[in-house]
Amino acid sequence: MSDVTHAVAHLAEHVPGVPVMLLASMAALAATAGFRTRWTRRHGHAPPTDDTGSRPPSAPAAGSGAGAGSGAGIGNDTDADGRADDGGEGVDSALWRMRTTVRDAPGSLAALCAALAERRVDILSLQTHPLAEGTVDEFLLRAPGELTATELVEVVSAAGGADTWTERADAHDLVDAPTRVLALAARTAQDAAELPLALRQLLGRCTIRSLPAAAGGRPGGEVPPEGSLEDTVLRLRAPEGGVITVERPYLPFTPAEFARARALVELDARLGPRLPRGRDVLTLAEGSDITVRRADTRDVPAAKAMHERCSARTLGMRYHGPVGDADRYLNHLLSPRFGRTLAAQTASGRIVGLGHLLWDGDETEVALLVEDAWQHRGIGGELLGRLVAMAAETDCASVYAVTQASNTGMVAAMRGLGLPLDYQIEEGTLVITARLDSASRDAARLPQGQRIGRD
């Protein structure tokens, strides 16, 4: 428990105003883990799926007898037979995550462990999730490199496991579970925009949607205050009203996972609106100073005032629709539930530019709006570079911008990143996608100074 104690003390030092009782509840959250379409290209954003290091399961191989998806044949980590590469663990071994259901009877788990030992499979960690009937056991395994996912499932099935699910793991999964959960709580405590990402890292590959209060109802009544668990769907009361829905079709949630997710959302609700305090003061080429900082829904009035100063052409370039509808998008765009926003403001505090990073599954959208009088001064490029750096920190595979071919400013800003770009015309608009693989990021011209919101 020393890791948990030190992490709580660190949080108390770096997040002023967090109540002692709240810190205690966060420690309890970590201890619980110890046993372990787009909005027409602008709506319904979800956090990136690559930030957990996990990969989606494929269908079980024919004849495998597996009751759930098997990880065989996923991405570049397995060959056609489901054999894994060494994953940095040596040529003779591979890491796997596995979940299976066993009977709640003495000796059931022991039989399973013995069967794994016979195939030289090392159990690195184990969490148990008690159910009304049976127990779900979640393992982190180091297996011989020649052992395929199908063979692993067959070994477990023969030893009494049912509804077995496997997935390739990586070094991130070796982190101690209480430490990992407490780190997620600390991130959430510092920044409200971290909640969707923290939920994804807590629960693995899943789809997270935030529904406003008007859409929060469902057949059979509203979501109860304590939330609801329905097999592969979690529903939780959102801190700002409405409902957070988490779906994971390939793997049912357990009551323990539901309790952890609910505790994380309750932590977010108790802390209220918050943003990191980090900001940069930049001097433009002509000598003017601007401040770049994080923004949220509290900046909606200032953002609307900027809209009023923008020309119809500028707003039309940004929103690709009726200019009169532009203000309607701001609550969504500035909400930390759907991404992160940077604002550029003058010395007087007037916002003259906004940059949005919006979660959209495997990709992430970037969008810019700079007031007419402040265009062509480098503000858009400064905002875009910082947004892309944030996307890279969450391990996004790519970012895309939706614009018009005549929007030369946005095209130039994307080219200025120094990243590999793909161009395509979609539904009459230009979509520019930048790839964020590690080699591209190393060669890119992204900001090398202070990350906004990281101090």
Coordinates of all heavy atoms in Angstrom, one line a residue, residues 51 57 71-72 136 152 161 164 190 225 236 244 341 344 354 361 393 412 421 431 453:
D51 N -5.4 4.7 -26.9 CA -4.7 5.2 -25.7 C -4.5 4.2 -24.7 O -3.9 4.4 -23.7 CB -5.4 6.5 -25.2 CG -6.8 6.2 -24.7 OD1 -7.5 5.4 -25.4 OD2 -7.2 6.8 -23.7
P57 N -10.8 -7.5 -30.1 CA -10.7 -9.0 -30.5 C -11.4 -9.2 -31.8 O -12.3 -8.6 -32.2 CB -11.5 -9.6 -29.3 CG -12.5 -8.6 -28.9 CD -11.8 -7.2 -29.1
G71 N -8.3 -13.2 -29.4 CA -7.4 -12.2 -29.9 C -6.6 -12.6 -31.1 O -5.7 -11.9 -31.5
A72 N -6.7 -13.8 -31.6 CA -5.9 -14.3 -32.7 C -6.1 -13.4 -33.9 O -7.1 -13.0 -34.3 CB -6.2 -15.7 -33.0
V136 N -15.6 -14.4 -12.5 CA -14.8 -14.1 -13.6 C -13.4 -13.8 -13.2 O -13.2 -13.0 -12.3 CB -15.4 -12.8 -14.3 CG1 -14.5 -12.3 -15.4 CG2 -16.8 -13.1 -14.9
L152 N -4.6 -21.3 -26.5 CA -4.7 -20.9 -25.1 C -6.2 -21.0 -24.7 O -6.4 -21.5 -23.5 CB -4.3 -19.4 -25.0 CG -4.3 -18.7 -23.7 CD1 -3.4 -19.5 -22.7 CD2 -3.9 -17.3 -23.8
G161 N -12.8 -23.5 -17.8 CA -13.1 -22.1 -18.0 C -14.2 -22.0 -19.1 O -14.3 -22.8 -20.0
T164 N -14.4 -17.6 -22.5 CA -13.0 -17.2 -22.5 C -12.8 -16.1 -23.5 O -13.2 -16.3 -24.7 CB -12.1 -18.3 -22.6 OG1 -12.3 -19.3 -21.6 CG2 -10.6 -17.8 -22.5
Q190 N -7.2 16.6 -11.8 CA -6.5 17.8 -12.3 C -7.2 18.4 -13.5 O -7.1 19.6 -13.8 CB -5.1 17.4 -12.7 CG -4.2 17.1 -11.5 CD -2.8 16.6 -12.0 OE1 -2.6 15.9 -13.0 NE2 -1.8 17.1 -11.3
P225 N -29.9 7.3 -9.8 CA -28.8 8.1 -9.4 C -27.5 7.2 -9.3 O -26.4 7.7 -9.5 CB -29.2 8.6 -8.0 CG -30.7 8.6 -8.1 CD -31.1 7.5 -9.0
L236 N -24.3 5.9 -16.4 CA -23.9 6.6 -15.2 C -24.4 8.1 -15.3 O -24.4 8.7 -16.4 CB -22.4 6.6 -15.0 CG -21.8 5.2 -14.8 CD1 -20.3 5.3 -14.9 CD2 -22.1 4.7 -13.4
I244 N -23.8 9.4 -19.0 CA -22.6 8.8 -19.7 C -22.9 7.4 -20.0 O -23.2 6.6 -19.0 CB -21.3 9.0 -18.8 CG1 -21.0 10.4 -18.6 CG2 -20.1 8.2 -19.5 CD1 -19.8 10.7 -17.6
T341 N -10.0 22.2 -25.7 CA -10.1 23.4 -26.5 C -9.0 24.3 -26.0 O -8.7 24.5 -24.8 CB -11.4 24.1 -26.3 OG1 -12.5 23.3 -26.9 CG2 -11.4 25.5 -27.0
A344 N -6.9 31.5 -27.7 CA -5.9 32.6 -27.9 C -6.5 33.9 -27.5 O -7.6 34.2 -28.1 CB -5.3 32.6 -29.3
L354 N -9.8 30.1 -31.4 CA -10.2 28.9 -30.7 C -9.6 27.7 -31.6 O -9.8 27.7 -32.8 CB -11.7 28.8 -30.6 CG -12.4 29.7 -29.6 CD1 -13.9 29.6 -29.7 CD2 -11.9 29.4 -28.1
G361 N -13.2 8.4 -32.1 CA -12.8 7.0 -32.3 C -11.3 6.9 -32.5 O -10.5 7.4 -31.8
E393 N 0.2 12.9 -27.3 CA 0.4 12.5 -25.9 C -0.6 11.4 -25.5 O -0.4 10.6 -24.6 CB 0.3 13.6 -24.9 CG 1.5 14.6 -25.0 CD 1.3 15.8 -24.1 OE1 0.1 16.0 -23.6 OE2 2.3 16.6 -24.0
A412 N -2.5 25.5 -45.1 CA -1.2 25.8 -44.8 C -0.8 25.5 -43.4 O 0.4 25.0 -43.2 CB -1.0 27.4 -45.0
L421 N 0.7 13.8 -44.7 CA -0.7 14.2 -44.9 C -1.4 13.4 -46.0 O -0.7 13.1 -47.0 CB -0.8 15.7 -45.2 CG -0.2 16.7 -44.2 CD1 -0.4 18.1 -44.7 CD2 -0.9 16.5 -42.8
V431 N -10.9 16.8 -46.7 CA -10.5 16.2 -45.4 C -9.0 15.9 -45.5 O -8.6 15.2 -46.3 CB -11.3 14.9 -45.1 CG1 -10.8 14.3 -43.8 CG2 -12.8 15.1 -45.1
G453 N -1.5 23.1 -20.1 CA -2.2 22.3 -19.2 C -1.4 21.2 -18.5 O -2.0 20.3 -17.9

